[in-house]
Amino acid sequence: MSRLIKVLGTGCPKCQQLTALVEEVVSENQLDAKIEKVEEIADIMKYNVMTTPALVVDEQVKLKGRIPAKSELLEMLKA
Amino acid sequence: MFSWIQRMADWLVFDVFHLNPEMHLAKALNFFFYDSVKILLLLFVVVFAMGIVNSYFPIDKVRNYLSRNKLYGLEYLMASLFGVVTPFCSCSSVPLFIGFVKGGIPLGVTFAFLVTSPLVNEVAIGLFLGLFGLKTTLIYVLSGVLLGTISGSILQRLKLERHLTPWVKEVLANAQREQEAFLLEKQPFGKRLPVIWREVLDILKGVTPYVLVGIAIGGLMHGYVPDGFFERYLSKDNPFAVPVATILAVPMYSNAAGILPVVQVLVAKGVPLGTAIAFMMGVVGLSLPEAMLLKKVMTLKLIGIFFGVVTLCIIFSGYLFNFIL
């Protein structure tokens, strides 16, 4: 089943970094996933995050306010 | 405590490079090596310590604490103190703002947090320790906390809710003092450490180039600008020095890392400490990029009032320091 991965962030450098990392991990591991960027602040707030960037996998907040290590990210995207 | 670094710098410049200790270049180089090593070391210690605190004290806990407890006026001080231990990058200021308002935390208390958090952060503290010593660092931290507390209380009195943008007003209307469930990370220290460690390295990697450039510029000024040079223009007797320094500083963007080593030399060459701290706070605490971000949640008028009140408080604390120090 394809996963829906959302990167929440208002466009700051760290958010772009996270998006790039997610894309990298997904393509390297050939994960079946759709990546979406959520930049509208009102939409971001629906997930109750106060620090960006945040990572949402299948509507579940997995991470907020920091950039994970590659291995950690892979775990989150796989689990 | 740091004499071994001085010995190392002396050895490197005078013995290895064979430079005459009387030369400007030798003095500047010596200063550069000594300061770089000392500051980066202190920066590492402070960033690491704050990283540990922050790992156990995430922003969600702070928000829940503030919205849950009735603190009878102390909430401004609490919010300001929380601002010290919770770093956030300026791009998070809007989500933070909304998150706080949603949790039913008064606008003034939210402002108290927003003022102190960028002002007193791990990088600024580490640099202050390295450049100015413990006493000045404590004064800086204390004044940052008071600044947040006082500006927050003033802003609350002004009843500014009507100047929020429409969608934020809607959020405000639906605000509730409830405990939002959040990702509880109950992890042992051993599991947290790698995460903290990586954050520390990231922060250091980000600021080190600025620190080195700042120290290099500081080192050049140290060697070439005569003592007392700035005293002519920026002495304590000049009543315009503090407001001019502060107002010049507001549009400049926050690189505490790059600007502090330069400020230290200014102080060494005769700029009064209060004026220098006011300048620092203007640079770190308020900036145009931040104003642009806040436009999503506040009307221009509110941003103006917010910046105005904080600027006045900074100017006031600048005068105060010049007076008491």
Side-chain angles (χ1 to χ4, degrees):
Chain A
M1 195 187 79
S2 176
R3 290 181 173 280
L4 180 61
I5 302 171
K6 290 182 181 174
V7 178
L8 318 183
T10 42
C12 56
K14 275 194 168 185
C15 313
Q16 283 155 17
Q17 235 173 300
L18 181 62
T19 313
L21 195 68
V22 169
E23 280 165 359
E24 206 181 306
V25 170
V26 166
S27 77
E28 270 176 19
N29 297 282
Q30 295 175 329
L31 299 176
D32 180 18
K34 193 171 161 266
I35 304 169
E36 207 175 282
K37 276 181 90 174
V38 181
E39 293 190 331
E40 198 49 55
I41 185 73
D43 296 330
I44 293 176
M45 290 317 299
K46 285 185 193 140
Y47 292 95
N48 274 324
V49 297
M50 286 192 288
T51 46
T52 52
L55 182 73
V56 174
V57 181
D58 290 337
E59 299 305 304
Q60 239 196 341
V61 180
K62 291 283 184 190
L63 183 86
K64 40 192 166 178
R66 64 186 177 87
I67 294 171
K70 243 178 162 176
S71 55
E72 198 186 352
L73 184 60
L74 183 60
E75 285 289 300
M76 287 172 185
L77 298 183
K78 266 181 158 175
Chain B
M1 195 166 134
F2 295 110
S3 56
W4 61 274
I5 304 176
Q6 186 61 62
R7 278 199 298 278
M8 212 171 77
D10 288 348
W11 170 77
L12 194 69
V13 174
F14 305 140
D15 296 346
V16 179
F17 295 163
H18 288 296
L19 292 171
N20 181 349
E22 292 306 307
M23 272 166 56
H24 275 320
L25 176 71
K27 273 190 205 161
L29 265 181
N30 191 288
F31 175 84
F32 178 75
F33 284 122
Y34 174 70
D35 256 28
S36 312
V37 174
K38 184 176 85 173
I39 288 165
L40 290 178
L41 211 68
L42 279 164
L43 205 54
F44 170 77
V45 172
V46 175
V47 169
F48 193 54
M50 295 282 252
I52 293 173
V53 173
N54 193 245
S55 168
Y56 285 93
F57 215 140
I59 190 77
D60 310 70
K61 269 191 196 164
V62 169
R63 199 255 313 258
N64 283 352
Y65 181 86
L66 284 173
S67 80
R68 187 177 54 224
N69 296 297
K70 242 193 150 330
L71 295 160
Y72 308 103
L74 273 182
E75 60 266 36
Y76 298 98
L77 183 63
M78 292 306 287
S80 189
L81 284 172
F82 285 139
V84 175
V85 290
T86 37
F88 73 94
C89 88
S90 65
C91 44
S92 279
S93 54
V94 170
L96 268 172
F97 185 87
I98 301 296
F100 271 48
V101 168
K102 242 176 101 177
I105 296 169
L107 211 50
V109 178
T110 307
F111 276 126
F113 180 87
L114 275 186
V115 170
T116 311
S117 194
L119 215 51
V120 188
N121 58 42
E122 69 276 33
V123 173
I125 293 176
L127 285 170
F128 250 95
L129 271 177
L131 292 162
F132 294 100
L134 188 62
K135 189 182 149 209
T136 315
T137 308
L138 286 178
I139 291 174
Y140 179 76
V141 172
L142 213 70
S143 61
V145 171
L146 285 179
L147 202 72
T149 310
I150 293 167
S151 340
S153 323
I154 295 175
L155 288 163
Q156 181 66 25
R157 300 261 179 302
L158 296 177
K159 302 250 176 289
L160 298 163
E161 282 79 0
R162 63 204 155 89
H163 296 300
L164 293 168
T165 49
W167 75 274
V168 181
K169 279 185 197 160
E170 210 171 290
V171 170
L172 198 67
N174 297 318
Q176 39 195 282
R177 285 177 180 263
E178 65 170 35
Q179 297 289 346
E180 308 247 13
F182 64 89
L183 220 77
L184 250 183
E185 294 188 41
K186 281 214 165 101
Q187 287 175 317
F189 186 66
K191 278 218 152 176
R192 287 171 191 261
L193 197 60
V195 178
I196 299 171
W197 181 248
R198 219 179 27 248
E199 294 265 290
V200 171
L201 292 188
D202 270 355
I203 294 176
L204 287 183
K205 221 167 39 194
V207 299
T208 300
Y210 294 102
V211 174
L212 291 182
V213 169
I215 299 171
I217 294 172
L220 283 176
M221 290 171 70
H222 199 78
Y224 293 101
V225 178
D227 287 337
F229 178 78
F230 296 100
E231 227 150 12
R232 258 178 293 163
Y233 310 103
L234 290 166
S235 74
K236 281 189 184 184
D237 307 327
N238 183 346
F240 298 111
V242 174
V244 169
T246 310
I247 288 162
L248 275 179
V250 172
M252 291 170 72
Y253 184 40
S254 92
N255 229 313
I259 206 134
L260 257 177
V262 179
V263 170
Q264 193 245 357
V265 177
L266 297 183
V267 171
K269 301 292 184 188
V271 174
L273 198 56
T275 313
I277 287 182
F279 180 73
M280 246 307 286
M281 289 186 157
V283 172
V284 182
L286 298 172
S287 68
L288 284 183
E290 196 195 351
M292 297 306 292
L293 285 166
L294 289 176
K295 250 187 71 181
K296 284 196 179 139
V297 287
M298 304 177 194
T299 56
L300 274 179
K301 193 173 171 198
L302 179 50
I303 296 176
I305 296 171
F306 172 46
F307 272 47
V309 168
V310 177
T311 306
L312 283 179
C313 288
I314 291 175
I315 292 173
F316 177 74
S317 69
Y319 281 127
L320 190 70
F321 284 136
N322 280 345
F323 184 70
I324 57 173
L325 287 177

